Amino acid sequence: MKKVAIIMGSDSDLPALKGAMDALKALEIPFAVRVISAHRTPEPAAQFARGAADEGYGVLICAAGKAAHLAGAMAANTILPVIGIPMKSSTLDGLDALLSTVQMPSGMPVATVAIDGATNAALLAAQILALSDEALAGRFADYRAAQTAKVLAKDAAISAEYSTL
Ligand code: RP5
């Protein structure tokens, strides 16, 4: 099956990306985890993006903070779908990265999730891959059903404990 790449601009982004790895593992999607920077390692960034389709990747997840150009730079060098995760940082709480990632010019899309939205990035990648992978689509449907069951159970427990009706 197609692989996912989780690419971060710095190793300082790693802790915020655990949710993406957990979700991909739960859905049995193989993934690579890399540190590649649009600004600090521009040549490896371009090379990775250009070779990604031939390497068997189906979606690139790119996480970066501050003036976050990683997702856009990768998108410029591949026709694979790119999902951007704006990373929260100490100065502007991730608003800088959100705007840098989401405000792509027309013709060059990056699907941008919430600030630190690693889990949703992985789930969106799974949904993209599931379009051409029936077994994965089934696992994704199971994941959704389990999520629904968990919320219903919480509703029942909280309602039973706190309601005065
Ligand atoms: C970005 O700059 C990285 O993605 C990271 O979020 C931010 C800060 O990087 P470090 O200075 O911690 O390496 O490129």
Side-chain angles (χ1 to χ4, degrees):
M1 75 182 291
K2 295 279 187 194
K3 305 179 283 187
V4 169
I6 300 175
I7 306 162
M8 66 200 87
S10 167
D11 61 344
S12 65
D13 299 321
L14 182 62
L17 298 176
K18 290 284 159 60
M21 297 180 214
D22 290 346
L24 292 175
K25 275 184 200 160
L27 290 163
E28 299 171 37
I29 298 171
F31 60 92
V33 182
R34 301 287 305 273
V35 179
I36 306 175
S37 168
H39 303 125
R40 293 165 176 162
T41 60
E43 282 307 320
Q47 275 171 20
F48 185 93
R50 287 183 191 131
D54 286 343
E55 293 289 326
Y57 292 99
V59 182
L60 306 184
I61 295 174
C62 299
K66 300 185 182 289
H69 297 131
L70 180 61
M74 298 302 263
N77 283 296
T78 182
I79 60 167
L80 293 175
V82 175
I83 301 172
I85 312 175
M87 292 282 97
K88 186 171 179 176
S89 59
S90 52
T91 45
L92 292 170
D93 279 343
L95 186 59
D96 44 1
L98 172 63
L99 297 178
S100 302
T101 305
V102 77
Q103 288 287 55
M104 288 294 290
S106 181
M108 191 58 61
V110 164
T112 305
V113 295
I115 295 167
D116 283 354
T119 299
N120 273 359
L123 295 178
L124 182 55
Q127 288 173 284
I128 293 167
L129 295 183
L131 289 171
S132 56
D133 186 327
E134 219 170 289
L136 175 57
R139 293 197 294 277
F140 191 83
D142 291 345
Y143 169 89
R144 276 283 180 88
Q147 177 171 255
T148 299
K150 268 187 215 163
V151 175
L152 292 176
K154 286 176 186 171
D155 172 46
I158 287 179
S159 176
E161 185 169 352
Y162 294 103
S163 297
T164 61
L165 303 176

